[in-house]
Amino acid sequence: SDEEEEQGTLKWKEGLQQKASAAFLRHQEAAPNLRKLVYGSVVEAEDSEEEEEEELGGLFRVNRPQKSKRVQANALDCSHFNPDISHNWDLEEMLNSIRDCFVTGQWEEGQDAA
Amino acid sequence: MASHGLTYEGCNFLRQRLVLSTLSGKRVKIKNIRSKDDEPGLRDFEASFIRLLDKVTNGSTIEINQTGTVLVYQPGLLYGGTVEHDCNPQRSVGYYLEALLMLGPFMKSPLKATLRGVTNDLTDPTVDLLKSTALPVMKKFGIDGEGFDIKVAKRGMAPGGGGEVVFTCPVRKTVRPVQLTDPGKIKRIRGVAYSVRVSPQMGNRIVESARGILNQFLPDIYIYTDHMKGANSGKSPGFGLTLVAETLNGCFLSAEMSSTPQGQGDPILPEDLGRNCAKLLLEEIYRGGCVDSSNQSLALLLMTLGQQDVSKVLLGPLSPYTIEFLRHIRDFFQIMFKIEVQKPLEDERKGGDKVLMTCVGVGYSNISKTLK
């Protein structure tokens, strides 16, 4: 049973590389063409409305107001930008990623004051 | 379509729509405003905003149906002059001021608006933030001169309010096109730690913790403490911090945080607030660009209204609010921006992806400005 357990725990490691590359490709496809995102048609909103048409037992319609376009249209009018992903600014790695934004960071060649 | 104006749904982006409608002179109809809500129709703060808009214009007609779910706005001329307004405390003065900043330069006579209400809250950009970031953005577009200022006469924290802000703005006939493609490096960080109706020591505690994080990058950091007393301190206690990073090319990136309003949510320690706010500033620097995230729409509007020449501005990632603003600009002014993503080089340590926005201005001219 020891072996089985070991196999079980190692199962998630199978095909990690394929999984990673698949995820990367998916991400690439999802990488938004900004112009399309901004000026493209409002396909997204229509899609979500279609999903709403779920029926329960052929009698009731599931109403998910949180998802519908109308609620988004009636959301809070606010200009603050709160992105879903925020970085962990306790990590040295993150701090390093913006070092050159400051005058104390590395300068491009030819721009160095010295 | 054009003669009947534009039609939208829902209460979101109300300010954008009314501001662009006023500037373009196009009628706008907004229907289904919270039509499925338990309390349908416009809220008090929106009514207050519409009233303010009515004060700075001349000859606007506003029709609202009985339930408040349909609004029809036929803009009049931007008049300006001296205006006083009691802003509804459901939203802070920043909510109202954001719209006035967009309209101010295009008035008939210079605007002097005295706005009373909540000066600092968690939802909207605070007046301190707008003062230190929106004004420099507008100056880049040639909107400058004596008496271009936002003055916090009295501070009023949410929920009580009781603050007072004076916004003065000169008028311009035209707007200058800009080329803001390189923000330059950040040379210094400034900030204001404000506190009212709490111990003045709160300010110092905020400053110390924020400095602890920011000093890893720069030595030139100065955070002012602003403690208002007596009649100037509003009705509710609270404190907060606004941080602004200034670059060599005169671009400003900002972040801010306020304490939770009295009696709502968990209270926050000044030390935590200082640290979190400093991290928010790092996040904003990571996003980068020549205009910070809260002023993207303002910059894009001024680019649209510029002379018939190419304007370029480098921005960080577009916020959802800005994306909607771009769509509205297309509706009202038929301008579409060229949007190019700039990925950072491999060994560059300058944060994330940037977006270069390019457009040719519509050559907007302020015809109501009085000639002297």
Side-chain angles (χ1 to χ4, degrees):
Chain A
S1 67
D2 251 13
E3 254 183 10
E4 251 174 54
E5 219 171 81
E6 209 169 299
Q7 268 187 337
T9 52
L10 289 179
K11 212 159 201 183
W12 65 273
K13 287 189 180 173
E14 277 172 25
L16 259 191
Q17 201 175 356
Q18 280 96 317
K19 273 185 207 162
S21 66
F24 175 75
L25 284 177
R26 227 181 309 130
H27 192 76
Q28 279 290 80
E29 273 172 27
N33 177 343
L34 262 181
R35 197 179 163 85
K36 235 186 202 167
L37 181 85
V38 174
Y39 294 122
S41 54
V42 275
V43 182
E44 258 178 79
E46 277 163 25
D47 275 357
S48 64
E49 248 172 332
E50 261 172 47
E51 279 168 30
E52 241 184 279
E53 304 284 301
E54 246 177 277
E55 278 185 21
L56 268 185
L59 248 183
F60 302 104
R61 191 159 287 163
V62 182
N63 191 8
R64 292 213 176 85
Q66 291 87 348
K67 275 192 181 170
S68 81
K69 184 189 160 197
R70 185 148 299 148
V71 169
Q72 198 194 341
N74 278 316
L76 187 75
D77 179 15
C78 173
S79 64
H80 252 308
F81 186 20
N82 300 316
D84 317 327
I85 34 149
S86 64
H87 301 100
N88 181 0
W89 290 103
D90 290 323
L91 299 176
E92 190 66 19
E93 191 189 336
M94 277 320 294
L95 298 179
N96 281 333
S97 73
I98 56 166
R99 289 254 178 234
D100 294 346
C101 293
F102 296 87
V103 282
T104 46
Q106 188 121 46
W107 287 66
E108 289 87 25
E109 248 171 72
Q111 275 194 16
D112 207 322
Chain B
M1 179 87 183
S3 59
H4 296 97
L6 295 152
T7 307
Y8 294 102
E9 282 191 31
C11 66
N12 205 353
F13 312 114
L14 178 86
R15 290 175 299 163
Q16 300 186 355
R17 287 166 185 165
L18 296 187
V19 163
L20 289 172
S21 162
T22 312
L23 288 170
S24 66
K26 286 192 175 123
R27 202 170 84 119
V28 69
K29 178 180 180 182
I30 301 167
K31 53 185 190 182
N32 289 338
I33 300 174
R34 298 194 185 91
S35 49
K36 294 207 170 158
D37 206 288
D38 291 344
E39 291 171 58
L42 291 164
R43 294 265 190 277
D44 288 347
F45 68 90
E46 285 157 338
S48 176
F49 174 73
I50 294 167
R51 232 171 285 132
L52 173 64
L53 210 53
D54 190 37
K55 280 181 189 171
V56 295
T57 57
N58 198 358
S60 302
T61 55
I62 299 148
E63 288 167 38
I64 301 169
N65 74 344
Q66 214 150 31
T67 49
T69 53
V70 180
L71 165 74
V72 180
Y73 176 68
Q74 172 76 53
L77 288 175
L78 281 164
Y79 196 78
T82 306
V83 172
E84 283 189 27
H85 188 68
D86 289 318
C87 300
N88 187 289
Q90 286 171 353
R91 297 297 288 266
S92 77
V93 168
Y95 173 85
Y96 306 86
L97 198 54
E98 274 184 299
L100 282 190
L101 284 165
M102 290 179 170
L103 295 173
F106 309 104
M107 302 276 177
K108 180 181 165 77
S109 47
L111 180 71
K112 181 180 185 233
T114 308
L115 305 173
R116 288 187 206 96
V118 177
T119 54
N120 303 73
D121 76 354
L122 285 164
T123 328
D124 290 294
T126 65
V127 284
D128 303 86
L129 184 99
L130 292 173
K131 180 188 166 87
S132 50
T133 59
L135 298 189
V137 169
M138 293 172 78
K139 281 178 186 166
K140 296 260 184 204
F141 288 88
I143 301 158
D144 201 356
E146 236 176 280
F148 184 45
D149 194 21
I150 296 174
K151 202 173 150 235
V152 186
K154 295 175 188 169
R155 201 176 283 285
M157 299 293 292
E164 187 177 302
V165 179
V166 183
F167 170 51
T168 47
C169 183
V171 286
R172 284 288 167 274
K173 195 164 187 315
T174 54
V175 178
R176 195 163 69 196
V178 296
Q179 306 278 329
L180 299 172
T181 52
D182 178 22
K185 291 190 187 296
I186 294 163
K187 61 175 176 183
R188 62 182 172 212
I189 293 173
R190 293 289 177 267
V192 183
Y194 51 84
S195 52
V196 289
R197 297 189 173 267
V198 292
S199 155
Q201 198 53 35
M202 292 294 194
N204 301 335
R205 286 165 68 182
I206 295 172
V207 172
E208 197 151 322
S209 60
R211 283 191 74 111
I213 288 186
L214 298 173
N215 262 336
Q216 300 177 63
F217 294 101
L218 269 185
D220 189 359
I221 296 168
Y222 196 90
I223 303 171
Y224 301 85
T225 50
D226 176 12
H227 184 77
M228 285 193 169
K229 285 181 197 163
N232 294 336
S233 65
K235 294 174 185 162
S236 299
F239 51 88
L241 174 65
T242 308
L243 290 172
V244 181
E246 186 183 350
T247 69
L248 288 169
N249 295 352
C251 299
F252 295 81
L253 300 170
S254 64
E256 65 175 350
M257 203 170 236
S258 297
S259 60
T260 40
Q262 189 182 27
Q264 298 170 18
D266 297 327
I268 184 168
L269 282 175
E271 282 81 9
D272 291 340
L273 185 135
R275 256 191 305 276
N276 292 341
C277 187
K279 285 178 188 170
L280 280 181
L281 183 69
L282 298 184
E283 182 76 37
E284 185 68 41
I285 290 168
Y286 180 85
R287 282 184 230 149
C290 294
V291 176
D292 75 338
S293 61
S294 46
N295 290 299
Q296 286 176 349
S297 313
L298 179 65
L300 292 172
L301 175 76
L302 294 175
M303 285 168 77
T304 308
L305 298 178
Q307 291 296 285
Q308 290 188 328
D309 200 350
V310 178
S311 276
K312 280 175 194 263
V313 171
L314 188 73
L315 300 177
L318 302 178
S319 71
Y321 189 81
T322 308
I323 291 176
E324 202 58 37
F325 193 75
L326 284 168
R327 292 179 187 146
H328 282 119
I329 284 183
R330 181 186 56 178
D331 293 348
F332 284 96
F333 288 103
Q334 285 80 46
I335 289 277
M336 279 165 87
F337 282 74
K338 189 173 159 199
I339 308 171
E340 294 162 284
V341 177
Q342 289 188 349
K343 299 234 176 252
L345 301 174
E346 203 147 286
D347 56 344
E348 229 175 14
R349 298 185 297 173
K350 285 185 176 177
D353 292 1
K354 309 282 183 282
V355 185
L356 183 65
M357 306 293 292
T358 314
C359 83
V360 177
V362 291
Y364 187 86
S365 155
N366 181 2
I367 42 163
S368 45
K369 178 176 182 280
T370 32
L371 296 170
K372 277 174 199 156

